[in-house]
Amino acid sequence: MEDLKIINKGLEDEMEIGGYRPCRWKLALVGVGVVCSGGFLLLLLYWMPEWGVKATCSRTTVKEADMVLLRSTDEFKRWFLAKVRVMLAPGRNPFDNLDSQTTSTATANGHTPHGPRTPDSPSQEIRHMYAEYQPMQIRYFTLHSTKYYWSDTAQNFVVFTGLEDLEVTCSTVHSKHSTGLSRNQQEYRRLFFGVNEIAVKVPSVFKLLIKEVLNPFYIFQLFSVILWSADEYYYYAAAIVFMSVVSIATSLYTIKKQYVMLHDMVAAHSIVRVSVIRANNEIEEAMSTDLVPGDVMVIPSNGTIMPCDAVLVSGTCIVNESMLTGESVPVTKTNLPNPRQGGRGSDSDTVYCTEEHKRHTLFCGTNVIQTRFYSGELVKAVVVRTGFSTAKGQLVRSILYPKPTDFKLYRDAYLFLLCLVAVAGIGFIYSIALSIINKVPAKTIIIESLDIITITVPPALPAAMTAGIVYAQRRLKHIGIFCISPQRINICGQLNLVCFDKTGTLTEDGLDLWGIQRVENKSFLLSEENAYRESLVKSQFVACMATCHSLTKIEGQLSGDPLDLKMFEATGWILEEATEEETSLHNRIMPTVVRPPKQLLPEPTVSSQQDMELYELSQSGYEIGIVRQFPFSSALQRMSVVTRTLGEKRMEAFLKGAPEVVASLCKKDTVPEDFAEVLEDYTKQGFRVIALAHRRLESKLTWHKVQNVSRDHIEANMEFLGLIIMQNKLKPETPGVLEDLRRANIRTVMVTGDNMLTAISVARDCGMIPPEDRVIIADALPPKDGQAAKINWRYADNPTKSSGKATRLEEVEISLEDVSQGEEARQSERYHFAMSGKAFAVITEHFQDLLQKLVLHGTVFARMAPDQKTQLVEVLQSVDYFVGMCGDGANDCGALKRAHGGISLSELEASVASPFTSRTPNISCVPNLIREGRAALITSFCVFKFMALYSIIQYISVTLLYSILSNLGDFQFLFIDIAIILLIVFTMSLNPAWKELVPRRPPSGLISGPLLFSVLTQILVCLGFQTMAFLWVRKQSWWEPWTPLSDTRGDFNQTFCLSSQCACNLSSSSNISLELNETELDDHYIKNYENTTLFYVSSFQYLIVAIVFSKGKPFRQPSYKNWPFVLSACSLYAFLFFILFYPISAIDDFLEIVCVPFQWRLTILLIVFVNAVVCILVETLVLDVVLWKLVFSRDKQGSYASGPAAPTAQY
């Protein structure tokens, strides 16, 4: 019965859900299968949960399911299994108002609630409660720390996130949710929302051990060890067990450490004592774990760490949100405006949303530094979300349950392993057939044929693959780049496009005041260097600079937005805030006061008419009180304040923000005619321009009315005051780094929240856009008045004069064909697209087919909101770019997480969101990361190719020996696997990265022409030389089936062979009977000439391919600079040459090799030498010179049509 539903529709974690019920006959059948397969079927069903469910359960509707099978709808198609549980509750919705609160809560919880009780006994009370109502059964399941409840209305499982589920309006938050909940209502809601805690459970070592040991790889190793033990290969089996134990222990330690670190990070300050307002207006102390959405908590005046997401309904808070945003600048949070209170209609009453109303929302995990409040009125906040639904909870969830990293290398690695398994299958069949023909006992057939599989799939492969990444991580740490997702290092080697935030990343964090340009009588005055002058002290312009900001004093130090700080410091004024004592004496919140320094003020003169009170006021100086603040909003691109000057009756409003926005809010007759021209002139030079405006408010606006007036009412009919010009200097490293990236054919893109023309100017200054290139602004307009959405194209650098009007940019006609075939159509004239966040939103919605073509040539994306930055990264990834993102962590968290390689320049806790964090606060870390990524990627290829060749070389040796019913000896396996392979693998990964970025990129996957050619040709070469050696030794005149007597000499020897034909002319005083005893012990027929020959040849082959595959330039330093590798290889060569030309009986006996004539030893040396020459010629001459150049040039030509892969796709 098909009943597939979708949960979390439209969200990142959207999943298909199907319902299942256990089926008895299927369970019985599986039970029989498990017994017959020796438990292997159980393991298979554990590895494949979807098979397990389908094999033991039958389909049913989702509503009636006992367990649900979920599959993610993203490209990974991951399966999840969850058990459906039943909960008894008095209602189906946590926000229901229950008639009988006490009754419902008692039964729902299964015990009576705390508080005063009736004299009845508990049993009588419960009977009485049950008589009143019937509890409801609510079905739910838990997945990834989120509870999904069955909803009859939606006919699906839904998540209760919090107060936002009700879609409450701002006025409803004040009218219905600001009085608090009764204890019973709170307990009822806690049934659904659970305990308010972000619980990171640290699994026990036993649980982790079981999970780790049941990994398919370790099960395969266990199978191998049992097999080798049965075949009496005890030493090698013990070595593998030892390696596995070390590997499992290391893995357990790392995983446990990560869990403990995350637990400690989350647990710190997560449980605090809070004051909660109950429905009867009582305040009670409670633990933060008891909070539920709808509770009203009191924010203490000395601050706290927020245990949940809550919206402020009264008072003001100063909050450090570095945990969330990466920005350590304190933010002022104001209470949520109540539209009804201001006497306005419901038009301005919007639905509360944490994202839109974040200036009024206190987020979980953020630090409330201090609060400001009215006398007699507490600073209150309504709890909106708790536990894992909070902003911090979602961040922790994304760390606990990350999306798998989709990278071609890992997919190809599995394909490669499957190929090795296929090769093993051929060997398996071959060995069985051979053994049956030779009438080998059944036990030997089973062991030896299975042994082939363990040889072909190398047990040390995962450890070997990890080594290169671990070394790269260590090198990155050494240069100040920290990594929390090591698998991403390899992906960084593929990056071919990097997005940069502007402020704080490409440019200095701080802005310097370059100058001011005031407006008088509708025209600009000459620009002035600063505002610190006596003549300007009482001007509206300086008053706006001194008051229109969100600065606050924390422990006596001015703190706030760097731009506000620079602007305020330029005035030289003094800011004073009311103390708690002063605030509590008044009926209203005491305003922040700003005043100029005394030396700037003229001496006050007293006239005869002035009364005493005014005289005292004037003596105290010129002061302005900030009555109300409308914080800066990135959506509105402005902030404003309402102020009152001491001694003045009427209040004034000051506004500052983006020049275009401020000018649109001013009276047209106050904005100079050349406003656009002047603004463009400054922005083209790369200045950050802020406009100021002012208005005297109506006298009817009293203090209380101002507290409730809407922002739109204040920010209208303003008078334009002029411009503040701030200089945002480029960081000294920026141009050089961008030039390095450009030379390496890595495209660079700017994604900023700043002004379009300023961004273009900075892009030109830093070399992102070369001087000779044109910039075309794509200005998209949404559909309006029945007209379809359209795009206006205009050159950014060609302003044209309209008759008597302000300048406007020259419009240019571009057809869609030009965009799609841009590079070919305009080879002579290279160009870049620039667009704003608004245009990007319109293009995303209405011009989806054009979007991908635009981003191929888009270089500047200005005025981009944080979620738009993430969208841009996704669009770039959709056109096959490997995208890097470099930001200062402030509003780049989403993009940093989504990019293939996100690197944060902020060392704050927000760097948890980014895979990489740089201690160096400039973009020089980007090329370093790409270099290390490329080195790690090439190392992974080298190791994988080497491990593949190692298993195939050993497979060839064993297969050839099987044909004479022989095999490699236990200690021969041990010497090859431990002394040669492990030593070489762990040292060949140590090559450091090449010192500069080259235009060439490493291949992204193993299944690519050059790599397959490399592996296959080396396999053929090794196969050829091993087969030749194997056949050649049997053709020697001295060859005969080996016996212990073949190694002896003297009178006894003459009975067996002619001296000229003896295999070995070593003098030996060994006892013949001892040798004969050894013969009886050598059941496996290890000692023979073929074995010895193949052992020598294959041992040299491992070292030859290791050296051939250990590539250096252009992605890694040459191998001769990797001294541990050179030392290991030389030592092994020396040892092999030593035992080849100077046999020592103890070593020969240990390795089970036999004595061969000196002439044959020279022949082996010749075979090895020719093998080495052929391997080197094939790899370096044929592959590197011929094939690479052909393939690379072909890639280059084919990429012009698609854009991303092209080295010149930057333009």
Side-chain angles (χ1 to χ4, degrees):
M1 186 178 174
E2 282 297 314
D3 180 32
L4 268 182
K5 292 186 180 292
I6 303 284
I7 58 169
N8 304 328
K9 197 166 179 65
L11 300 176
E12 197 179 4
D13 51 354
E14 182 180 277
M15 285 178 282
E16 291 175 352
I17 179 170
Y20 288 86
R21 264 192 178 160
C23 175
R24 284 180 184 174
W25 68 266
K26 282 188 176 182
L27 277 166
L29 212 61
V30 168
V32 172
V34 168
V35 173
C36 295
S37 64
F40 181 72
L41 180 62
L42 198 64
L43 274 172
L44 193 66
L45 298 182
Y46 167 77
W47 294 329
M48 312 290 280
E50 68 277 21
W51 291 8
V53 173
K54 288 170 183 176
T56 57
C57 301
S58 54
R59 283 300 295 266
T60 181
T61 60
V62 175
K63 183 181 180 179
E64 295 163 351
D66 288 338
M67 58 179 65
V68 287
L69 188 62
L70 304 106
R71 188 168 82 148
S72 63
T73 55
D74 58 15
E75 67 271 27
F76 303 109
K77 306 288 183 209
R78 290 169 299 157
W79 292 92
F80 305 104
L81 178 64
K83 192 172 168 45
V84 177
R85 300 178 189 278
V86 176
M87 173 178 85
L88 287 180
R92 293 201 175 278
N93 192 310
F95 302 108
D96 285 346
N97 275 324
L98 304 175
D99 297 326
S100 173
Q101 296 288 355
T102 313
T103 303
S104 55
T105 312
T107 315
N109 282 339
H111 59 80
T112 51
H114 309 293
R117 288 280 168 262
T118 57
D120 294 338
S121 68
S123 59
Q124 282 177 321
E125 195 175 348
I126 288 167
R127 269 201 301 274
H128 172 68
M129 291 163 188
Y130 267 107
E132 281 197 16
Y133 89 108
Q134 191 64 36
M136 295 177 186
Q137 287 193 345
I138 296 170
R139 302 170 76 80
Y140 73 94
F141 68 88
T142 307
L143 181 72
H144 293 171
S145 303
T146 304
K147 276 188 179 176
Y148 295 82
Y149 292 93
W150 177 258
S151 162
D152 283 331
T153 318
Q155 282 296 300
N156 200 351
F157 282 97
V158 294
V159 181
F160 293 124
T161 52
L163 212 57
E164 286 170 292
D165 294 342
L166 291 176
E167 296 190 351
V168 286
T169 58
C170 294
S171 59
T172 315
V173 172
H174 282 278
S175 60
K176 290 187 181 172
H177 298 281
S178 60
T179 51
L181 303 174
S182 66
R183 190 182 290 135
N184 292 326
Q185 189 71 28
Q186 186 201 43
E187 288 188 10
Y188 168 60
R189 285 192 184 181
R190 204 179 310 128
L191 278 173
F192 292 90
F193 292 109
V195 175
N196 173 34
E197 190 180 10
I198 301 167
V200 178
K201 293 188 179 79
V202 180
S204 65
V205 174
F206 180 72
K207 259 189 181 177
L208 286 173
L209 181 68
I210 294 298
K211 197 176 175 184
E212 190 72 16
V213 167
L214 290 181
N215 180 307
F217 170 69
Y218 288 120
I219 296 295
F220 177 69
Q221 280 200 332
L222 180 69
F223 161 75
S224 304
V225 166
I226 293 167
L227 187 69
W228 294 326
S229 302
D231 204 17
E232 297 170 15
Y233 289 163
Y234 298 120
Y235 296 105
Y236 186 49
I240 288 296
V241 168
F242 175 73
M243 271 171 56
S244 299
V245 168
V246 170
S247 176
I248 290 169
T250 312
S251 182
L252 286 187
Y253 172 75
T254 311
I255 294 167
K256 181 91 174 172
K257 188 180 168 189
Q258 283 176 344
Y259 268 111
V260 169
M261 274 173 65
L262 187 60
H263 175 268
D264 293 349
M265 186 192 97
V266 173
H269 318 298
S270 67
I271 301 174
V272 292
R273 289 200 74 80
V274 290
S275 300
V276 180
I277 297 174
R278 289 276 164 244
N280 53 9
N281 230 11
E282 281 179 17
I283 296 177
E284 70 172 43
E285 289 287 308
M287 294 306 292
S288 60
T289 46
D290 294 337
L291 292 172
V292 295
D295 265 332
V296 178
M297 63 183 287
V298 178
I299 312 292
S301 56
N302 59 344
T304 182
I305 302 279
M306 284 302 294
C308 58
D309 288 355
V311 59
L312 265 180
V313 287
S314 68
T316 310
C317 293
I318 292 155
V319 185
N320 184 331
E321 292 191 322
S322 61
M323 193 290 299
L324 206 64
T325 62
E327 195 70 84
S328 58
V329 173
V331 181
T332 303
K333 301 278 185 173
T334 57
N335 60 324
L336 185 74
N338 184 356
R340 297 272 165 86
Q341 207 171 328
R344 295 181 304 283
S346 58
D347 296 347
S348 55
D349 198 2
T350 54
V351 172
Y352 170 76
C353 164
T354 45
E355 189 55 42
E356 275 180 44
H357 298 94
K358 60 184 175 189
R359 281 292 176 179
H360 315 294
T361 307
L362 304 169
F363 291 102
C364 179
T366 58
N367 185 4
V368 178
I369 302 164
Q370 64 187 50
T371 63
R372 295 196 208 151
F373 52 92
Y374 299 90
S375 171
E377 192 170 346
L378 299 161
V379 178
K380 294 187 294 186
V382 178
V383 177
V384 180
R385 294 186 295 202
T386 57
F388 275 99
S389 297
T390 61
K392 183 180 179 181
Q394 285 166 355
L395 180 66
V396 172
R397 224 155 59 91
S398 70
I399 298 164
L400 277 174
Y401 314 106
K403 268 193 172 182
T405 311
D406 181 38
F407 188 39
K408 205 164 177 284
L409 171 70
Y410 304 122
R411 278 180 284 144
D412 289 356
Y414 287 117
L415 282 172
F416 221 92
L417 277 176
L418 283 173
C419 292
L420 289 179
V421 170
V423 171
I426 296 164
F428 179 76
I429 294 161
Y430 163 78
S431 64
I432 289 175
L434 204 67
S435 303
I436 291 169
I437 291 164
N438 288 293
K439 297 180 179 160
V440 174
K443 183 193 170 190
T444 313
I445 293 177
I446 293 165
I447 289 172
E448 293 199 340
S449 53
L450 289 174
D451 202 21
I452 280 277
I453 296 169
T454 65
I455 287 165
T456 319
V457 182
L461 184 64
M465 292 290 282
T466 312
I469 295 171
V470 170
Y471 296 145
Q473 195 175 1
R474 198 184 298 163
R475 288 195 298 269
L476 284 171
K477 193 174 179 182
H478 185 68
I479 55 173
I481 299 172
F482 298 93
C483 172
I484 61 165
S485 178
Q487 297 299 332
R488 298 261 186 146
I489 297 174
N490 270 342
I491 302 177
C492 287
Q494 277 296 309
L495 296 184
N496 55 354
L497 182 145
V498 185
C499 297
F500 292 97
D501 180 37
K502 184 178 78 72
T503 313
T505 304
L506 296 173
T507 60
E508 296 288 357
D509 225 342
L511 289 159
D512 297 316
L513 185 77
W514 181 83
I516 60 171
Q517 189 143 13
R518 293 183 299 126
V519 168
E520 275 183 18
N521 303 325
K522 208 188 167 185
S523 61
F524 282 112
L525 301 176
L526 290 170
S527 59
E528 298 155 272
E529 254 185 67
N530 62 53
Y532 188 76
R533 291 210 308 279
E534 193 179 312
S535 60
L536 293 178
V537 75
K538 289 197 176 182
S539 68
Q540 302 288 6
F541 192 91
V542 170
C544 187
M545 285 176 73
T547 57
C548 200
H549 53 70
S550 55
L551 299 177
T552 185
K553 274 197 169 173
I554 297 171
E555 295 173 2
Q557 286 288 312
L558 266 182
S559 182
D561 186 274
L563 187 144
D564 286 352
L565 211 54
K566 268 285 191 281
M567 188 179 75
F568 183 75
E569 283 169 356
T571 63
W573 284 39
I574 298 148
L575 181 135
E576 285 179 6
E577 285 182 333
T579 61
E580 280 183 39
E581 293 76 24
E582 287 174 324
T583 308
S584 59
L585 293 172
H586 294 76
N587 289 331
R588 57 178 78 91
I589 195 163
M590 284 288 285
T592 298
V593 171
V594 291
R595 63 163 68 94
K598 282 188 178 145
Q599 60 266 33
L600 280 185
L601 282 171
E603 286 297 316
T605 55
V606 184
S607 65
S608 54
Q609 291 86 8
Q610 204 165 21
D611 63 17
M612 200 64 190
E613 189 184 358
L614 283 176
Y615 174 70
E616 283 172 6
L617 284 173
S618 63
Q619 281 299 87
S620 67
Y622 174 65
E623 282 185 2
I624 303 175
I626 301 167
V627 177
R628 179 138 190 230
Q629 194 182 80
F630 296 100
F632 175 78
S633 157
S634 52
L636 299 173
Q637 297 178 10
R638 62 180 185 268
M639 80 161 289
S640 57
V641 289
V642 177
T643 69
R644 176 178 262 161
T645 308
L646 194 66
E648 289 279 338
K649 293 272 191 222
R650 285 168 74 174
M651 296 189 195
E652 292 176 289
F654 290 105
L655 171 76
K656 82 158 196 273
E660 307 94 332
V661 175
V662 173
S664 70
L665 296 170
C666 288
K667 295 175 189 167
K668 292 284 178 279
D669 59 345
T670 64
V671 181
E673 282 185 5
D674 57 348
F675 164 76
E677 198 175 333
V678 170
L679 174 63
E680 194 177 314
D681 194 41
Y682 283 126
T683 52
K684 272 190 184 172
Q685 293 174 59
F687 290 116
R688 175 94 178 263
V689 184
I690 293 149
L692 307 182
H694 151 266
R695 169 162 89 94
R696 273 174 74 82
L697 299 177
E698 306 85 19
S699 53
K700 66 177 183 186
L701 272 177
T702 62
W703 188 295
H704 279 294
K705 280 184 181 172
V706 162
Q707 297 307 323
N708 298 308
V709 77
S710 80
R711 185 170 192 157
D712 299 337
H713 182 79
I714 297 293
E715 297 171 346
N717 294 320
M718 308 291 279
E719 290 174 17
F720 194 77
L721 291 176
L723 304 172
I724 296 175
I725 298 103
M726 313 289 280
Q727 194 173 18
N728 196 191
K729 292 176 184 165
L730 277 179
K731 287 185 179 176
E733 303 83 5
T734 299
V737 170
L738 293 179
E739 178 57 26
D740 288 349
L741 294 174
R742 193 184 66 76
R743 276 204 304 266
N745 291 328
I746 294 168
R747 205 180 131 196
T748 51
V749 168
M750 187 191 293
V751 191
T752 176
D754 207 344
N755 171 287
M756 168 76 78
L757 292 174
T758 305
I760 292 170
S761 164
V762 170
R764 283 207 182 279
D765 290 348
C766 66
M768 203 176 268
I769 300 174
E772 68 277 7
D773 291 4
R774 305 290 292 272
V775 178
I776 297 168
I777 297 173
D779 194 6
L781 303 171
K784 196 177 180 185
D785 304 330
Q787 289 187 330
K790 64 170 187 169
I791 304 175
N792 291 332
W793 311 91
R794 50 206 173 92
Y795 284 121
D797 312 307
N798 287 35
T800 54
K801 286 270 185 189
S802 309
S803 53
K805 298 265 177 79
T807 61
R808 54 197 290 278
L809 295 174
E810 177 197 334
E811 292 213 356
V812 60
E813 284 298 321
I814 298 180
S815 66
L816 300 191
E817 286 73 25
D818 286 344
V819 175
S820 57
Q821 298 164 6
E823 194 63 47
E824 292 158 20
R826 297 175 176 234
Q827 280 294 340
S828 57
E829 179 191 26
R830 294 186 294 198
Y831 62 96
H832 305 250
F833 286 121
M835 66 188 83
S836 66
K838 280 180 184 173
F840 181 75
V842 173
I843 291 166
T844 306
E845 192 177 343
H846 299 284
F847 300 96
Q848 195 65 46
D849 57 327
L850 191 59
L851 182 63
Q852 293 191 341
K853 293 167 187 173
L854 278 174
V855 295
L856 289 178
H857 296 276
T859 303
V860 175
F861 296 85
R863 295 276 189 236
M864 296 285 275
D867 60 323
Q868 288 180 321
K869 291 186 179 185
T870 312
Q871 280 175 2
L872 176 66
V873 168
E874 287 172 348
V875 173
L876 288 165
Q877 287 172 336
S878 73
V879 288
D880 293 336
Y881 273 114
F882 282 89
V883 183
M885 172 74 199
C886 183
D888 57 358
N891 52 357
D892 307 313
C893 287
L896 288 167
K897 270 171 71 178
R898 187 52 55 89
H900 289 111
I903 182 159
S904 165
L905 302 185
S906 154
E907 277 193 80
L908 297 150
E909 283 171 302
S911 57
V912 168
S914 174
F916 301 94
T917 305
S918 170
R919 193 182 279 166
T920 316
N922 60 59
I923 64 167
S924 60
C925 57
V926 174
N928 289 337
L929 178 63
I930 297 172
R931 282 191 306 108
E932 287 298 345
R934 287 179 172 188
L937 186 58
I938 289 298
T939 299
S940 294
F941 287 144
C942 292
V943 168
F944 206 95
K945 283 161 67 179
F946 175 66
M947 293 302 282
L949 256 293
Y950 142 64
S951 58
I952 295 292
I953 290 169
Q954 200 168 74
Y955 171 77
I956 294 166
S957 305
V958 171
T959 310
L960 287 170
L961 289 172
Y962 272 13
S963 68
I964 58 163
L965 303 182
S966 178
N967 201 346
L968 288 172
D970 194 0
F971 288 103
Q972 289 176 340
F973 274 126
L974 201 66
F975 173 75
I976 290 166
D977 291 337
I978 306 295
I980 299 183
I981 304 305
L982 286 190
L983 197 61
I984 290 296
V985 154
F986 290 119
T987 55
M988 82 188 295
S989 304
L990 283 167
N991 286 34
W994 186 246
K995 49 188 178 288
E996 60 189 42
L997 280 175
V998 293
R1000 201 162 112 187
R1001 266 195 314 139
S1004 59
L1006 288 161
I1007 315 297
S1008 65
L1011 280 167
L1012 285 176
F1013 177 83
S1014 169
V1015 171
L1016 292 173
T1017 48
Q1018 296 297 343
I1019 287 172
L1020 291 173
V1021 169
C1022 293
L1023 173 67
F1025 281 96
Q1026 273 203 58
T1027 310
M1028 182 177 79
F1030 178 76
L1031 296 173
W1032 199 353
V1033 72
R1034 294 172 72 90
K1035 292 275 188 288
Q1036 298 303 306
S1037 55
W1038 47 262
W1039 182 88
E1040 61 182 10
W1042 185 89
T1043 64
L1045 305 177
S1046 305
D1047 280 2
T1048 59
R1049 187 187 160 193
D1051 300 331
F1052 180 76
N1053 190 32
Q1054 288 170 7
T1055 352
F1056 287 91
C1057 63
L1058 299 168
S1059 59
S1060 61
Q1061 292 176 325
C1062 270
C1064 188
N1065 44 15
L1066 265 180
S1067 61
S1068 172
S1069 57
S1070 302
N1071 192 312
I1072 295 165
S1073 63
L1074 180 69
E1075 299 283 3
L1076 290 169
N1077 285 341
E1078 279 193 16
T1079 311
E1080 287 163 21
L1081 290 172
D1082 189 12
D1083 295 336
H1084 298 291
Y1085 185 44
I1086 303 299
K1087 288 189 169 187
N1088 54 62
Y1089 300 125
E1090 294 89 336
N1091 170 294
T1092 301
T1093 302
L1094 287 184
F1095 172 73
Y1096 280 129
V1097 172
S1098 66
S1099 294
F1100 278 110
Q1101 280 183 341
Y1102 298 126
L1103 292 174
I1104 291 163
V1105 293
I1107 290 164
V1108 165
F1109 285 158
S1110 191
K1111 298 260 179 75
K1113 193 177 173 184
F1115 304 117
R1116 305 196 303 167
Q1117 296 277 8
S1119 291
Y1120 61 79
K1121 288 193 177 180
N1122 177 359
W1123 65 265
F1125 175 69
V1126 172
L1127 190 66
S1128 304
C1130 290
S1131 306
L1132 286 165
Y1133 268 124
F1135 176 75
L1136 287 171
F1137 279 130
F1138 178 75
I1139 62 169
L1140 179 64
F1141 289 108
Y1142 192 81
I1144 293 171
S1145 56
I1147 295 173
D1148 284 2
D1149 290 344
F1150 179 77
L1151 290 174
E1152 297 180 88
I1153 50 180
V1154 299
C1155 206
V1156 291
F1158 186 77
Q1159 189 184 351
W1160 181 244
R1161 294 170 198 272
L1162 289 173
T1163 309
I1164 288 174
L1165 180 65
L1166 179 68
I1167 291 169
V1168 166
F1169 178 74
V1170 177
N1171 187 344
V1173 170
V1174 173
C1175 283
I1176 291 165
L1177 281 175
V1178 164
E1179 188 72 13
T1180 53
L1181 191 72
V1182 180
L1183 184 75
D1184 285 1
V1185 177
V1186 181
L1187 258 181
W1188 255 115
K1189 285 191 174 172
L1190 284 172
V1191 171
F1192 191 67
S1193 61
R1194 191 165 63 247
D1195 281 353
K1196 207 158 133 186
Q1197 289 157 6
S1199 61
Y1200 279 111
S1202 59
T1208 50
Q1210 181 177 355
Y1211 302 112

